[in-house]
């Protein structure tokens, strides 16, 4: 028994029916910002008439070798990116640059140690920015292993990744000299250290008066 399978409409046929060039039809599906509204509507109408299905974005990315997105590996729960003022400002800065470059931004939170590495390795992104990661974090090696560009915010340093940050020690001393000028009992408030700090077993010494250098 012979079975007839209808041939799938081609992009060239869509372009011919719409009365535009094949390049214009291609841009309609891949880079619509390059096509006028009138031409785009003609191409879409022709595609509907012929039953043409636009190319799958993932497949198109594989052909081009680019995903058009930057992955931001957040070493916190996803909601942290929206709840913490510092995280919000950081994400906004990355998003601003992505918008200027015409790129998307994919947030990859560290949520489950058993799945984080696989999820980050499989992310459809062109590179990674890592933030609030710790020394020895598996996601750092996972990002580097993809062979894509990796930038770590302030550390940890790792072979195959670039580190962008400030000299925290120098900055702390500069702030201390300004804020504690003339102070006798300076105090520093900070986030908890990710490393275990051995607490002294001896009693806390009595308060003494000292000048900040």
């Amino acid at each position: 028994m012979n079975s007839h399978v209808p041939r799938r409409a081609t992009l060239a046929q869509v372009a011919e029916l719409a009365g535009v060039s094949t390049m214009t039809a291609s841009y309609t599906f891949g880079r619509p910002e390059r096509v006028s509204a009138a031409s785009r509507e003609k191409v879409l109408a022709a595609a509907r008439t012929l039953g043409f299905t636009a190319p799958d974005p993932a497949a198109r990315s594989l052909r081009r070798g680019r995903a058009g997105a930057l992955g931001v590996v957040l070493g916190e729960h996803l909601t942290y990116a929206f709840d913490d003022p510092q995280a919000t400002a950081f994400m906004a800065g990355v998003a601003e640059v992505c918008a200027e470059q015409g790129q998307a931004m994919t947030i990859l939170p560290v949520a489950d140690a058993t799945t984080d590495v696989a999820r980050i390795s499989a992310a459809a992104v062109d590179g990674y920015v890592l933030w609030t990661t710790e020394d020895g974090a598996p996601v750092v090696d996972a990002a580097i292993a993809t062979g894509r560009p990796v930038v770590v915010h302030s550390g940890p340093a790792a072979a195959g990744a670039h580190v962008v940050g400030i000299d925290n020690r120098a900055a702390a001393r500069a702030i201390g000299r300004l804020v504690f000028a003339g102070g006798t009992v300076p105090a520093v408030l900070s986030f908890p250290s990710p490393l275990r700090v051995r607490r002294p077993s001896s009693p806390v010494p009595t308060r003494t008066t000292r000048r900040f250098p």
Side-chain angles (χ1 to χ4, degrees):
M1 183 176 70
N2 295 328
S3 59
H4 175 69
V5 178
R7 295 181 59 186
R8 183 176 181 273
T10 66
L11 187 64
Q13 291 172 327
V14 172
E16 182 179 4
L17 181 60
V20 299
S21 67
T22 303
M23 182 66 72
T24 298
S26 176
Y27 278 156
T28 298
F29 296 105
R31 308 185 71 175
E33 71 279 1
R34 290 195 169 192
V35 183
S36 67
S39 296
R40 187 165 58 248
E41 182 53 40
K42 289 180 181 179
V43 172
L44 294 177
R48 288 193 295 269
T49 299
L50 296 175
F52 177 81
T53 304
D56 179 68
R60 187 166 58 244
S61 296
L62 289 174
R63 288 196 299 271
R64 289 200 309 253
R66 293 184 60 83
L70 175 67
V72 179
V73 180
L74 176 68
E76 303 285 349
H77 193 274
L78 181 58
T79 57
Y80 185 82
F82 306 97
D83 295 336
D84 181 78
Q86 185 180 4
T88 301
F90 180 84
M91 292 295 175
V94 176
E96 183 177 355
V97 175
C98 286
E100 291 174 354
Q101 299 298 319
Q103 301 295 304
M105 185 176 81
T106 301
I107 302 178
L108 301 166
V110 173
D112 185 346
T114 61
T115 61
D116 287 337
V117 169
R119 180 163 43 82
I120 289 170
S121 300
V125 297
D126 298 315
Y128 299 88
V129 172
L130 280 68
W131 192 58
T132 65
T133 49
E134 301 176 0
D135 289 325
V139 294
V140 178
D141 292 333
I144 294 173
T146 65
R148 303 164 197 162
V150 177
V151 176
V152 183
H153 173 257
S154 295
H162 300 280
V163 176
V164 176
I166 63 173
D167 187 335
N168 288 312
R169 290 182 180 274
R173 292 190 65 83
I175 293 173
R177 288 194 178 95
L178 178 64
V179 176
F180 297 144
T184 57
V185 186
V188 177
L189 301 179
S190 69
F191 290 110
S193 171
L195 305 177
R196 291 187 175 181
V197 179
R198 186 175 182 180
R199 299 184 181 278
S201 56
S202 58
V204 178
T206 58
R207 189 176 69 177
T208 58
T209 299
R210 294 178 181 174
R211 292 289 178 180
F212 191 84

